[in-house]
Amino acid sequence: MPAGAFTYPVRHVQPTRWFGFLLLPEFTLLAFSAALDPLRIANQLAQKPLYGWVVMSENGLPVVSSSGVDVGVHAPLADLDEDLHLFVCSGNRGPEVASDPVLSALRRHARFGGAVGGICTGAATLARAGLLKDRQFTLHWENQPGFAEAFPDLTPTLRRFETDGGVLTCGGGAASTEMMISLIAQDYGEDFAIAVSDMCLNTADLAPAREQRSSIAKAISSRNPKVLEVMRAMYQNIEHPLSLEELAERAHVSRRQIERQFKTLLGESPAATYRNIRLDRARALLMETDLSVMQVAMASGFNSDAVFSRHFRLRFGETPYGTRRKKRAD
């Protein structure tokens, strides 16, 4: 394997862990490559074959991605080894492109102990194969409404990636990288995973998976001018938060209307959205500045250290002090 300018020695090397990537027609090239390259980078940093991969298609022929680029593969699906952790990679036509032989192969793989996963809309194929019952999973947010219509008994989460036993799924794009880095962290520790993340120019955030879309992105897509006006005011008033009455007044609507619209469009109360905006700002300050935790709390609109710490832990799975310790360790 080629050496880079930066290496990270790994002392206790485990047997090479192998992954398979099944490319379905019109798969998303970005999501696939974003999942594969962290494995290559891990090998490069360690200068050891920590990970191996096999790219597959149903018939062993190249597969055309959604961007029109043909991608060659290593093997047909018939050569699937039960030791492979197989990820299904698909795109906007995810729920419909897998053939019956592909579905049968996935069921057989899972039945004999093989692990499976889905990248971008790969979870839709896993659902068709009957492999997501009682599982926590996700797929790209754009395709979730159609998925809900096709599979009313299955409910994807809005998180960027999910791990439920041997089933790993993600929404694609940067979430593919985050999912693979989480696996690397499990295998070789958080410090090594952060080194891989840095090489990907990815955030070193190994906290529980965040939602795929920010609240402001949801608001923008809703095209609701009143909700957008309220959210602009939230972002402009973080250190000194406005009351809900003041926010509603800026948008020229009643408090009751704002509460109802936020619940309908964003699935949460205005207070929860506002608090999360402030917590996200707080985490950025903890990672990027030397302000004390109490100073960060006040800059984010929290007057109580205890209240700040409690909400921070609920959102990020660790205390502000834990986040600050990680920054100092870097």
Side-chain angles (χ1 to χ4, degrees), residues 270-307:
T273 298
Y274 204 176
R275 184 172 58 247
N276 287 338
I277 288 171
R278 290 155 53 211
L279 288 168
D280 289 345
R281 172 66 60 83
R283 193 168 197 281
L285 291 174
L286 286 168
M287 296 297 291
E288 297 168 10
T289 75
D290 292 321
L291 293 174
S292 70
V293 170
M294 193 60 216
Q295 287 174 320
V296 168
M298 295 181 67
S300 306
F302 293 91
N303 294 322
S304 164
D305 182 64
V307 171

Side-chain angles (χ1 to χ4, degrees), residues 37-161:
D37 238 29
L39 304 178
R40 176 195 64 79
I41 290 170
N43 290 352
Q44 177 181 310
L45 288 179
Q47 282 296 287
K48 291 181 174 63
L50 308 182
Y51 299 101
W53 50 88
V54 179
V55 182
M56 314 184 87
S57 66
E58 180 178 0
N59 52 17
L61 298 175
V63 184
V64 182
S65 70
S66 59
S67 56
V69 176
D70 286 12
V71 175
V73 303
H74 299 126
L77 191 56
D79 292 348
L80 178 60
D81 189 289
E82 66 180 28
D83 291 333
L84 284 180
H85 193 141
L86 183 65
F87 286 101
V88 179
C89 305
S90 56
N92 281 335
R93 293 180 58 225
E96 58 190 73
V97 291
S99 66
D100 288 339
V102 166
L103 299 178
S104 296
L106 290 172
R107 294 187 193 102
R108 186 166 55 251
H109 185 62
R111 187 166 61 250
F112 287 101
V116 295
I119 292 173
C120 193
T121 61
T125 297
L126 300 183
R128 287 182 59 202
L131 301 179
L132 292 182
K133 185 178 180 182
D134 300 323
R135 295 285 190 178
Q136 194 159 300
F137 67 95
T138 192
L139 70 157
H140 196 282
W141 62 265
E142 181 184 14
N143 306 97
Q144 291 200 12
F147 181 94
E149 293 293 327
F151 305 98
D153 296 330
L154 297 174
T155 304
T157 75
L158 292 173
R159 286 153 64 102
R160 294 163 73 88
F161 69 90

